[in-house]
């Protein structure tokens, strides 16, 4: 009895309680392997060399003091380490979110550019993003990331890259431009060049920094190019006294751990902040899911979309309470951690601890860092956002997707990043609706030597049965396309000679809504009056049950539903004795042009 009691007590003490094991960070600690420790420590040191300069640079990209980038980095790494399901995903300030934060916060800041108010607004924005992410996780809305299609995302990112690049060029050359839109910034930059506003020493640091980063990334990818450039820039500023030659420097950073702060903003600021938070949350979610999927595939993990949303929410919550701003995952920083041997989120914790030690023990370390060097970091990051080959591939493969890409690009470039993300989402949704509204539709025939029935546009010599038309409509029947379906069937029914059966190859018809049901009922009554019968083949059982529930079998003969097209054709031949017409007598394709869908084999999409 005593032995069993001791064993029971011993069993209960093994590992954390069940509720705590549900927390990914606790679960990771309980399953941590001792042999990972050295690799995680080394990877944490390597990662820190990238986190510090990028955090400061992306804070300035968002219109905030550089120190907020370090505060944000510390807290989001710790927050994700506790709640994140991925072993090596790295979070932090992101180049794609910086312009969105600036577009949301800066219009609300007073004309004097109060940095304290900007930080408070950015912190509230992070808290709102956290709330959106956590609520979306609870509601299991991870699919929302699919609202941005690949073509519109390519256009959005290309527009974002151009916006960042143009916005950083004046800073890269040592002067400022007061403009909020792309055209204004371009005009201001050209005026600055014409007026001789360029600071030669700043231009040398900025342009030299870009060249150095790109060359090192190309020739020595394992070398931390950003760190090398930053160290050399600080050395140059110290040795040559660049501050006295008109080069702006970062200056002394505040000392110590970021303070816990409840941001104080006006009630009137909340609506515009919420709009920005929704856009930032959508981009962050799409970025997180794509990065998590890519790195999970390499490590053999499964992507848990809803847990990732909750973890991103926790990271933003932590950042927002310590003078930070919204964050997302970073593919580049995660790749650096992976190449450095990271095995767990301890890598990020090490990075956060090292940044804290730097702020406590050596806050003046980056005092002489030139601002053009930070601009060089941002410019090189913007170049990585752009996907010109992807846009060229869309032009070659599918012109309609290329036009979507261009529209998203112009939306971001001309209207701004926040309207741009709205345009990207709207275009993606409208493109889906367009495919449902104008689906591909065709007549099928029998092809010699090929099993089944096939598109007569792809096989012009396909044979057909006199009096029978086999018609395929590649979409669910909904209010948006029901009238187009009706018009196609009426055109086929009025052909000469007039068919007696029109067989709908209905396998692609995954739904029939009430509007389409009414149209079908009117269509069938009209066809019956002309001696033409509407016949369905391969209709899925759920759709068949809906048709019966709508009462359509009052007009559509229940005997005119067949499990396969072959069964419908056999029934028609048994009833009429019809024989297949030779290829030369085959009916021509219907006179209407195909919709924007895909035929078999796929036609070239040049529309």
């Amino acid at each position: 009895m005593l032995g069993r009691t001791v064993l029971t007590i011993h069993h209960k003490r093994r590992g954390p309680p069940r509720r705590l094991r549900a927390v990914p960070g606790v679960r990771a600690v309980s399953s941590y392997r001792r042999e990972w420790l050295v690799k995680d420590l080394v990877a944490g040191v390597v990662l820190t060399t990238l986190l510090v300069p990028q955090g400061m640079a992306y804070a300035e990209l968002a219109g905030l003091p550089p120190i907020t980038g370090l505060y944000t980095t510390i807290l989001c790494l710790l927050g994700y380490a506790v709640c994140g399901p991925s072993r090596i995903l790295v979070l932090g300030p992101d180049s794609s979110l910086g312009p969105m934060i600036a577009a949301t916060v800066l219009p609300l800041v007073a004309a004097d550019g109060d940095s304290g108010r900007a930080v408070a607004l950015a912190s509230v924005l992070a808290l709102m993003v956290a709330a959106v992410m956590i609520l979306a996780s609870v509601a299991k809305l991870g699919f929302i990331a699919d609202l941005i299609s690949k073509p519109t995302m390519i256009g959005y990112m290309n527009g974002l890259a151009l916006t960042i690049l143009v916005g950083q060029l004046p800073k890269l050359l040592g002067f400022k431009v007061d403009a909020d839109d792309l055209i204004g910034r371009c005009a201001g930059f050209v005026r600055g060049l014409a007026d001789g506003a360029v600071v030669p020493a700043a231009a040398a640091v900025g342009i030299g920094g870009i060249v150095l980063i790109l060359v090192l990334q190309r020739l020595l990818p394992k070398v931390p190019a950003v760190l090398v450039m930053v160290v050399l820039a600080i050395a140059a500023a110290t040795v040559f006294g660049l501050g006295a030659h008109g080069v702006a420097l970062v200056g002394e950073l505040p000392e110590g751990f970021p303070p816990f702060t409840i941001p104080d903003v006006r009630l009137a600021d909340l609506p515009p902040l919420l709009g920005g938070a929704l856009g930032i949350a959508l981009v962050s979610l799409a970025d997180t899911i794509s990065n998590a999927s890519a790195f999970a595939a390499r490590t053999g993990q499964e992507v848990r979309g809803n847990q990732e949303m909750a973890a991103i929410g926790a990271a933003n919550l932590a950042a927002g309470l310590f003078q930070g701003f919204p964050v997302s995952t970073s593919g580049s920083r995660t790749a650096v951690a992976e190449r450095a041997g990271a095995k767990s989120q301890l890598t990020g914790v090490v990075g956060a601890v090292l940044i804290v030690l730097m702020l406590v023990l050596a806050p003046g370390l980056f005092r002489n860092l030139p601002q053009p060097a930070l601009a060089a970091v941002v410019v090189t990051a913007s170049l990585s956002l752009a996907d010109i080959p992807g846009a060229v591939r869309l032009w070659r493969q599918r012109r309609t997707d290329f036009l979507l890409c261009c529209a998203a690009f112009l939306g971001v470039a001309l209207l701004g990043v926040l309207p741009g993300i709205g345009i990207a989402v709207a275009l993606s949704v409208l493109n889906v609706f367009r495919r449902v509204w104008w689906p591909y539709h065709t007549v099928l025939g029998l092809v010699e030597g090929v099993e089944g029935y096939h598109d007569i546009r792809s096989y012009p010599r396909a044979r057909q049965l006199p009096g029978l038309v086999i018609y395929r409509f590649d979409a669910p029947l909904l209010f948006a396309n029901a009238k187009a379906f009706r018009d196609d069937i009426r055109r086929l029914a009025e052909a000469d000679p007039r068919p007696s059966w029109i067989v709908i190859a209905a396998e692609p018809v995954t739904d029939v809504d009430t509007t389409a049901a009414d149209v079908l009922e009117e269509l069938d009554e009209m066809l019956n009056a002309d001696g033409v019968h509407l016949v369905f083949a391969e209709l899925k059982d759920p759709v068949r049950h809906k048709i019966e529930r709508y009462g359509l079998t009052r007009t559509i003969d229940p005997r005119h539903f067949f499990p396969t097209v072959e069964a419908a054709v056999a029934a028609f031949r048994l009833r009429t004795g019809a024989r297949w017409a030779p290829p030369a007598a085959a009916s021509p394709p219907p006179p209407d042009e195909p919709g924007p869908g895909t035929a078999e084999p796929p036609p070239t999409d040049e529309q």
Side-chain angles (χ1 to χ4, degrees):
M1 180 68 180
L2 180 61
R4 283 183 300 195
T5 303
V6 171
L7 287 174
T8 302
I9 294 174
H10 177 70
H11 175 72
K12 287 182 178 180
R13 287 181 177 176
R14 289 179 58 190
R18 181 176 299 178
R19 289 184 179 180
L20 287 180
R21 286 201 301 270
V23 179
V26 175
R27 192 165 58 245
V29 170
S30 64
S31 61
Y32 192 81
R33 300 179 186 176
R34 184 176 300 175
E35 60 268 24
W36 291 352
L37 182 59
V38 174
K39 294 181 179 179
D40 280 337
L41 292 175
V42 172
V45 173
V46 173
L47 182 63
T48 306
T49 64
L50 187 64
L51 293 174
V52 173
Q54 282 194 347
M56 298 170 68
Y58 296 159
E60 294 220 329
L61 178 61
L64 302 168
I67 187 63
T68 60
L70 301 183
Y71 291 167
T72 301
T73 301
I74 294 168
L75 272 303
C76 74
L77 289 174
L78 296 177
Y80 190 83
V82 174
C83 301
S86 173
R87 286 209 304 263
I88 63 170
L89 212 59
V90 178
L91 269 67
D94 190 68
S95 57
S96 63
L97 298 188
M100 301 181 73
I101 297 168
T104 305
V105 169
L106 295 187
L108 302 176
V109 178
D112 59 357
D114 182 3
S115 61
R117 175 164 160 73
V119 171
L121 290 168
S123 297
V124 172
L125 189 61
L127 296 178
M128 286 184 169
V129 172
V132 171
M133 285 290 197
I134 293 172
L135 290 175
S137 173
V138 173
K140 301 187 184 303
L141 298 180
F143 66 89
I144 290 178
D146 299 331
L147 287 178
I148 308 181
S149 66
K150 186 64 176 292
T152 51
M153 181 57 85
I154 290 175
Y156 174 78
M157 285 300 180
N158 286 340
L160 192 62
L162 179 63
T163 300
I164 294 173
L165 179 63
V166 172
Q168 292 296 307
L169 285 178
K171 182 179 174 182
L172 193 74
L173 302 183
F175 65 95
K176 294 182 179 180
V177 170
D178 292 327
D180 296 327
D181 61 302
L182 181 68
I183 296 176
R185 287 172 180 169
C186 289
F189 177 68
V190 173
R191 281 195 301 269
L193 293 178
D195 295 341
V198 176
V199 178
V205 172
I207 296 174
I210 292 175
V211 173
L212 181 61
I213 290 174
L214 295 179
V215 169
L216 288 179
Q217 287 178 342
R218 182 68 179 270
L219 301 180
L220 300 170
K222 292 186 178 181
V223 173
V226 172
L227 176 66
V228 171
M229 187 276 293
V230 166
V231 170
L232 292 178
I234 293 174
T238 304
V239 172
F240 299 109
L242 295 182
H245 292 81
V247 179
L249 304 177
V250 169
E252 196 83 22
L253 296 177
E255 182 179 348
F257 191 80
F260 176 83
T261 307
I262 301 296
D264 182 20
V265 298
R266 303 166 189 162
L267 193 61
D269 295 331
L270 298 182
L273 287 176
L274 179 59
L278 292 174
I280 290 171
L282 181 59
V283 172
S284 179
L285 176 59
D287 200 26
T288 297
I289 296 300
S290 61
N291 282 320
S293 300
F295 287 98
R298 300 183 193 179
T299 59
Q301 288 185 281
E302 293 183 3
V303 177
R304 301 177 179 90
N306 292 311
Q307 284 190 18
E308 288 290 358
M309 282 191 291
I312 300 298
N316 278 282
L317 177 63
L321 293 175
F322 288 86
Q323 299 186 10
F325 51 85
V327 297
S328 180
T329 57
S330 170
S332 62
R333 276 164 281 182
T334 304
V336 167
E338 183 187 45
R339 287 198 300 268
K343 295 297 181 182
S344 74
Q345 284 299 322
L346 180 59
T347 296
V349 174
V350 171
V353 170
L354 289 177
I355 296 174
V356 171
L357 291 176
M358 183 199 76
L359 293 177
V360 172
L361 302 178
L365 190 61
F366 291 90
R367 178 179 58 251
N368 291 330
L369 175 61
Q371 293 282 5
L374 292 181
V377 174
V378 175
V379 168
T380 54
S382 72
L383 297 177
S384 68
L385 290 177
D387 187 4
I388 306 301
V392 173
R393 178 175 57 83
L394 292 176
W395 167 260
R396 292 174 177 171
Q397 295 180 349
R398 192 175 180 88
R399 299 290 171 81
T400 51
D401 284 350
F402 176 76
L403 292 177
L404 288 174
C405 175
C406 290
F409 170 81
L410 293 174
V412 176
L414 300 180
L415 300 180
V417 290
L418 288 178
I421 189 62
I423 289 172
V425 173
L427 288 175
S428 297
V429 174
L430 287 175
N431 190 38
V432 174
F433 186 73
R434 178 187 68 89
R435 294 168 190 261
V436 174
W437 193 359
W438 296 313
Y440 188 77
H441 49 90
T442 188
V443 172
L444 306 181
L446 185 67
V447 181
E448 195 72 32
V450 182
E451 186 177 355
Y453 299 89
H454 300 276
D455 188 345
I456 64 174
R457 291 192 183 98
S458 300
Y459 299 93
R461 293 182 60 81
R463 296 192 294 166
Q464 295 180 267
L465 277 173
L468 175 73
V469 174
I470 306 173
Y471 175 77
R472 193 183 71 205
F473 190 79
D474 290 350
L477 271 173
L478 307 173
F479 68 95
N481 59 29
K483 291 183 174 57
F485 176 85
R486 178 197 63 193
D487 293 343
D488 285 342
I489 298 299
R490 288 173 62 180
R491 186 161 45 246
L492 293 171
E494 293 168 359
D496 186 24
R498 184 183 298 272
S500 57
W501 274 24
I502 298 179
V503 176
I504 310 298
E507 185 179 14
V509 180
T510 56
D511 192 16
V512 176
D513 69 5
T514 54
T515 302
D518 293 340
V519 171
L520 277 177
E521 185 173 14
E522 295 172 2
L523 176 64
D524 190 61
E525 289 175 348
M526 182 194 68
L527 293 178
N528 289 340
D530 293 334
V532 180
H533 298 286
L534 204 58
V535 178
F536 289 87
E538 300 181 354
L539 194 66
K540 293 178 172 58
D541 287 342
V543 183
R544 170 72 183 273
H545 295 156
K546 287 184 180 180
I547 285 179
E548 292 173 349
R549 191 164 63 249
Y550 295 151
L552 288 181
T553 49
R554 294 193 309 270
T555 58
I556 301 177
D557 191 337
R559 294 172 297 176
H560 287 169
F561 291 90
F562 293 91
T564 64
V565 175
E566 288 79 3
V569 170
F572 179 79
R573 294 187 65 189
L574 181 64
R575 176 180 175 181
T576 63
R579 297 185 178 183
W580 290 102
S587 301
D592 58 310
E593 291 295 324
T598 304
E600 41 174 1
T604 303
D605 186 1
E606 296 291 340
Q607 63 262 47

